[in-house]
Amino acid sequence: MLVQHCLLCLHSSVEGFGLEAEARMTTWHIMMPAENETDSTHSHDVSEGRQLLLKAVNRVWTELMHSKRQMLEDIFKVSLPCNDRGHVDISTARPALEEPALKSWQNHL
């Protein structure tokens, strides 16, 4: 249940988990400067990083909905809207899942 909250937060912004991130750099770290930062040398990296992040979020979301959709609907007592192919889009599911997923996340914290 916590995964939904994380995916919804990541889909809307890269911040918002209620925890402070450790300041450490790894081989896979992509700089994500603040929105008000206008350094053009980082803009391409930020754009690419954001696209990679959204692609990963959407892939995990698709797999989650494919395998756990019915269970999530039962647990959260919601009906997730799906398109004509039967897929649940993260943007259209946000209103139904945002509040119960946030409550689950806050209980976890």
Side-chain angles (χ1 to χ4, degrees):
M1 299 349 102
L2 304 176
V3 172
Q4 292 80 12
H5 176 71
C6 296
L7 292 174
L8 293 172
C9 287
L10 284 171
H11 190 263
S12 63
S13 73
V14 293
E15 300 173 22
F17 288 94
L19 300 171
E20 295 297 325
E22 290 182 24
R24 60 182 172 170
M25 297 288 283
T26 66
T27 310
W28 300 98
H29 186 84
I30 297 175
M31 292 298 295
M32 300 294 270
E35 290 179 19
N36 58 359
E37 199 172 303
T38 58
D39 186 0
S40 62
T41 60
H42 293 296
S43 64
H44 177 69
D45 290 341
V46 170
S47 176
E48 182 182 1
R50 180 75 180 146
Q51 288 174 0
L52 289 170
L53 179 64
L54 286 175
K55 185 175 180 178
V57 166
N58 286 323
R59 178 67 180 159
V60 171
W61 178 264
T62 300
E63 291 297 320
L64 182 68
M65 289 299 111
H66 178 72
S67 63
K68 303 292 183 191
R69 177 180 169 200
Q70 187 62 48
M71 181 186 76
L72 294 171
E73 288 180 330
D74 293 344
I75 290 172
F76 288 141
K77 296 174 180 43
V78 297
S79 179
L80 297 175
C82 57
N83 62 20
D84 55 344
R85 296 186 328 168
H87 297 131
V88 178
D89 182 58
I90 191 168
S91 298
T92 58
R94 176 183 299 281
L97 288 177
E98 199 163 32
E99 186 178 337
L102 177 61
K103 286 180 183 178
S104 178
W105 178 252
Q106 288 172 339
N107 280 339
H108 173 72
L109 291 179

